[in-house]
Amino acid sequence: MLANEQAGAGRLAVASPAPALHALVDGETVTMKAWEDFVSGSRRDNLPVRDVVIRSWARCQSFLVDARADAAPVIGRDHIEALRRDNRDLLQAAATTLAEAADLLSGTRTVMLITDANGVVLEAAGDRATLSVARDISLACGGQWGETFAGTNGIGTALASKQPVLVQAAEHYCAGIKGWSCAGAPIHDPVDGSVVGLLDISGLKQSFTGQALALAVVAARQVEWNLARQTEAEHVRLLEACLEDSQKYAGEGLIALDARGRLLYASRKAAHLLKASFGSDLPQLNRGTRLPIAGIAGGPGGGAGDRLPVPADWVRPLILDGERRGTLLVIPAAASGRPSAGRRAVPDESDHSRSRFADIVGDSDSLRMVIGQGERLAPLPVPILIEGETGVGKELFARALHGHSAAAVGPFVPFNCGAVSREMLGSELFGYVRGAFTGAAAEGRIGRFELADGGTLCLDEIGELPLDLQPYLLRVLEEGVLYRIGDNVPRRVSVRLLAMTNRNLRQEVAAGRFRRDLYHRLAVTALRVPPLRDRHGDVPRLISHFNGLLAQRHGRAPVRFTAAALDLLQRYDWPGNVRELRNAVERAVLLSTSGSIGIDDLPDELRDACGCVAADGWPLLGSPAPPIVAPGAIASTPGAAPTAAPTAMALTETEQRTIKDVIAATGGNLSDAATVLGISRSTLYRKMSQHGIQRISAGKA
């Protein structure tokens, strides 16, 4: 019987691949025919090809890529050596992964490659026979695989789309490469998230599997983690070198930059002197910001005219292991210029210049989802209703929607419908003419709608708008025409309307306090900004952001929160949301005398709500800067004790223990564990991998 079962299994094993093989061949034939139609120009629409591929084909045609090419171009040997030197940190981070690939991919007829940010191959490993064949199409060191050179392929298309991409056989744009399939995953910088390279897995199409994309993504994340650890270690050494040099330059402003021109440290005096000298041309001095300084490699792109003309005698190299790995700017006190009159040194969170979704601080899943929705809705010329509790930051979303829309060239005019009396609302919104009512200005007044003409009008607390004024607002929205109070002359306006409310307008409609037709006109599209209690993991980032911002505004040093205080702040429910958190941080900055904030220094309502008693004595946590994606990457201040690393380790161990306990308590069910922890399952997988946590054998996904 066992022999019969084995024979049956053998017959199944032989027979089953045939339908799949036929489907694969048929699919490739269809794709090949679509490519021929596209290249010849006989058909461009409704081709049976994936969107990512057809978009790439269109780009390749606009780049005038030769569709009949049989290989990618190759750069010169001297050039590739220079590129390898420039990308030595990336290659060092990828060395372990490539070494493992040499064994893992042996006999699989596939290879793994590392490229720079432009798609030039820097290193290759994998099946030896395939590496030899790959040279025929320049899939080796020096090969230029950006889309502009090699058309649609796993390397160039992933870099162009900034996301992992699988390109199979006939989907390639160049004819000579269609015998291969490839999967590429971008590698991101751990500090600013920019793409610094790419990991690609390629193989002959006959032996290639779509699972290679998952392997490429996992391998790219491993390289990113190694890069983060390297960057963290080097930044610590650079800060130590800065500390040593700081003794020589007492009384002068100091700024430390890494090899790519990114800010590691800026003394308060340096920030003041630079702001006085360059004013609004100077970016905000947050850790990780790239300073556009002339003569320093690694800064942001742009012409020389876009860079700050820092005198050469300010610049000192920071040397590690006999090599320049950073820069120290020494700014003499005599360099102070005269700030422009009336210019604020530090932008407020609601500054008109902050009109990007990137300016919204937070990485929680709930916030990123709403930001994604906002990015999709912003270009659409329709009203948007922004809902959310008081203090969640609705106006930040409104400004970002304005900044990402066609109305961004026009004004952004905010107005709070609950901030003026009922009698004055109409004149504030629509304006009035001379003599319209008793007390009216002799020359009349323009209303908010006309002020916002060509731009965006943002109406806060729209639920406070009286019922008798709502038809007028609806008419302006429907017809684009308004009448000033006391006037019979129609005035045409073109305004993008954003409405904000902390009320449930559907309930207001049901209660008869808000017109149904106006509600449906305003809520063509809607965004609901999540409360802070639902933004898991965002509290520490917001504390760091406000700590640096408010300390700079008030001319004080950022405070340092003990781990116990941070734990309480993260457990607090924040009924006042981000605004309440901001006020708590500002209170700490203004009232701190020791520079350290413990539980006893926090407002009574926070301690009472959490039922906590002061338990200080924990290691101190440093403040201002977006965190690097690795433990212990918190900036220190020259002259202060280097306390960041022990705290980061303590917090890492606490997180590790918590995750283990929850997984055990849920019997290994990772879905339940993620729900208990308040994170997504993908985040839980990432943290398990980061901490080396294995799922218990009885567990279920």
Side-chain angles (χ1 to χ4, degrees):
M1 180 175 179
L2 179 60
N4 291 336
E5 289 176 354
Q6 291 175 334
R11 287 193 295 273
L12 286 173
V14 172
S16 58
L21 181 62
H22 286 311
L24 182 63
V25 172
D26 291 343
E28 186 175 351
T29 302
V30 169
T31 304
M32 192 68 184
K33 178 62 169 61
W35 173 79
E36 291 171 349
D37 291 343
F38 183 90
V39 171
S40 66
S42 61
R43 182 183 173 192
R44 297 291 176 83
D45 299 324
N46 301 319
L47 291 172
V49 181
R50 292 183 296 145
D51 287 345
V52 66
V53 174
I54 198 67
R55 287 196 298 267
S56 176
W57 286 359
R59 287 194 299 270
C60 295
Q61 198 161 66
S62 68
F63 298 150
L64 302 180
V65 177
D66 182 6
R68 303 298 172 181
D70 56 7
V74 180
I75 64 175
R77 181 178 297 275
D78 291 342
H79 193 182
I80 183 61
E81 289 305 318
L83 283 179
R84 287 173 61 86
R85 285 194 300 272
D86 292 342
N87 290 275
R88 58 187 176 277
D89 293 339
L90 172 62
L91 290 175
Q92 181 182 344
T96 303
T97 304
L98 287 170
E100 293 172 351
D103 296 328
L104 180 66
L105 301 181
S106 179
T108 65
R109 303 183 73 184
T110 54
V111 296
M112 180 180 291
L113 306 103
I114 298 293
T115 82
D116 71 359
N118 295 315
V120 178
V121 179
L122 303 174
E123 192 63 270
D127 182 65
R128 290 187 177 182
T130 308
L131 284 171
S132 178
V133 177
R135 294 191 187 96
D136 295 339
I137 60 169
S138 307
L139 201 58
C141 284
Q144 295 179 282
W145 286 89
E147 278 189 343
T148 55
F149 297 103
T152 304
N153 68 89
I155 296 171
T157 304
L159 289 173
S161 61
K162 293 183 172 58
Q163 63 184 6
V165 168
L166 173 68
V167 177
Q168 295 182 307
E171 291 178 335
H172 286 86
Y173 187 76
C174 295
I177 309 173
K178 291 182 179 291
W180 292 75
S181 291
C182 46
I187 300 170
H188 297 90
D189 183 274
V191 176
D192 57 23
S194 62
V195 174
V196 295
L198 181 131
L199 187 144
D200 173 77
I201 297 178
S202 293
L204 295 168
K205 64 181 182 182
Q206 298 89 341
S207 57
F208 199 81
T209 170
Q211 294 174 342
L213 181 60
L215 177 59
V217 171
V218 171
R221 298 298 84 81
Q222 182 181 16
V223 174
E224 287 177 352
W225 174 240
N226 291 338
L227 195 59
R229 290 192 297 178
Q230 289 174 200
T231 303
E232 176 202 1
E234 179 162 292
H235 283 186
V236 169
R237 294 183 64 197
L238 287 170
L239 286 169
E240 290 172 350
C242 176
L243 278 171
E244 293 173 1
D245 285 346
S246 66
Q247 308 303 318
K248 308 175 190 175
Y249 306 114
E252 298 179 299
L254 296 181
I255 288 181
L257 307 172
D258 69 5
R260 301 183 67 190
R262 297 177 300 204
L263 182 68
L264 299 179
Y265 165 74
S267 68
R268 282 187 293 163
K269 188 162 191 176
H272 172 74
L273 293 173
L274 281 182
K275 197 69 181 179
S277 297
F278 300 108
S280 61
D281 293 333
L282 182 72
Q284 193 169 345
L285 297 179
N286 289 329
R287 185 175 173 210
T289 299
R290 294 192 186 185
L291 293 187
I293 295 176
I296 294 181
D306 298 327
R307 298 186 173 229
L308 301 178
V310 169
D313 59 357
W314 289 11
V315 180
R316 307 280 192 279
L318 287 174
I319 305 298
L320 297 181
D321 302 324
E323 182 180 8
R324 179 173 181 168
R325 296 297 292 165
T327 301
L328 182 66
L329 295 183
V330 182
I331 308 170
S336 60
R338 179 177 298 175
S340 299
R343 179 181 288 153
R344 287 180 298 179
V346 184
D348 187 78
E349 294 88 346
S350 61
D351 195 293
H352 285 257
S353 63
R354 295 171 58 83
S355 296
R356 304 177 304 162
F357 286 106
D359 293 321
I360 300 175
V361 178
D363 280 323
S364 61
D365 292 342
S366 59
L367 183 69
R368 302 316 302 178
M369 181 185 71
V370 180
I371 288 176
Q373 293 172 348
E375 290 173 335
R376 292 190 294 274
L377 293 176
L380 305 178
V382 295
I384 298 177
L385 180 64
I386 306 173
E387 301 174 297
E389 297 176 7
T390 298
V392 295
K394 296 188 289 295
E395 188 173 327
L396 284 179
F397 274 85
R399 291 187 182 278
L401 288 166
H402 168 72
H404 286 251
S405 71
V409 295
F412 178 87
V413 179
F415 179 70
N416 190 322
C417 297
V420 297
S421 66
R422 180 183 182 281
E423 293 74 19
M424 295 298 296
L425 260 176
S427 61
E428 288 287 342
L429 287 174
F430 308 115
Y432 58 85
V433 296
R434 177 180 180 178
F437 51 85
T438 302
E443 67 279 7
R445 178 178 294 179
I446 189 172
R448 304 298 171 127
F449 266 99
E450 290 182 81
L451 286 173
D453 191 21
T456 299
L457 176 62
C458 177
L459 297 182
D460 194 8
E461 296 189 35
I462 189 69
E464 301 293 334
L465 194 67
L467 270 173
D468 57 348
L469 278 181
Q470 293 178 20
Y472 296 98
L473 176 58
L474 181 62
R475 180 173 183 176
V476 177
L477 292 177
E478 294 286 358
E479 302 177 6
V481 173
L482 64 81
Y483 292 84
R484 291 185 185 177
I485 293 177
D487 196 7
N488 58 4
V489 177
R491 301 172 190 269
R492 184 161 295 279
V493 291
S494 176
V495 172
R496 167 77 175 280
L497 184 71
L498 303 176
M500 303 190 298
T501 183
N502 57 10
R503 295 187 181 186
N504 186 324
L505 289 190
R506 290 173 291 280
Q507 294 179 0
E508 296 294 298
V509 170
R513 292 188 292 267
F514 203 86
R515 290 179 62 103
R516 185 178 301 276
D517 49 2
L518 178 58
Y519 168 73
H520 288 300
R521 188 69 181 88
L522 292 174
V524 173
T525 54
L527 290 178
R528 182 159 189 84
V529 183
L532 186 53
R533 61 181 173 276
D534 292 340
R535 293 171 51 179
H536 304 295
D538 280 353
V539 169
R541 289 184 60 86
L542 287 163
I543 291 173
S544 176
H545 170 72
F546 290 135
N547 195 1
L549 184 76
L550 296 170
Q552 189 179 356
R553 176 168 298 127
H554 294 298
R556 294 171 175 262
V559 296
R560 302 168 70 82
F561 291 83
T562 66
L566 277 175
D567 178 65
L568 185 148
L569 291 171
Q570 292 183 77
R571 288 189 289 112
Y572 183 56
D573 205 34
W574 298 111
N577 293 293
V578 178
R579 184 181 294 126
E580 184 183 6
L581 174 61
R582 180 194 183 283
N583 292 341
V585 175
E586 187 165 24
R587 177 185 185 274
V589 169
L590 293 174
L591 298 182
S592 172
T593 56
S594 65
S596 175
I597 299 298
I599 288 182
D600 286 340
D601 300 308
L602 297 176
D604 293 341
E605 59 267 23
L606 269 70
R607 300 201 306 271
D608 294 344
C610 295
C612 288
V613 179
D616 288 348
W618 292 51
L620 298 180
L621 186 66
S623 51
I628 190 172
V629 189
I634 298 177
S636 301
T637 302
T643 58
T647 300
M649 183 61 68
L651 293 176
T652 299
E653 291 174 351
T654 299
E655 182 179 72
Q656 185 181 37
R657 288 196 302 271
T658 301
I659 292 174
K660 284 183 177 179
D661 292 345
V662 171
I663 291 176
T666 56
N669 188 311
L670 299 189
S671 296
D672 290 348
T675 301
V676 172
L677 290 166
I679 59 178
S680 66
R681 194 164 65 174
S682 61
T683 300
L684 177 59
Y685 289 148
R686 176 170 56 79
K687 288 186 176 293
M688 289 173 64
S689 175
Q690 175 183 335
H691 295 305
I693 300 172
Q694 300 295 323
R695 201 167 77 201
I696 62 177
S697 58
K700 298 179 288 183

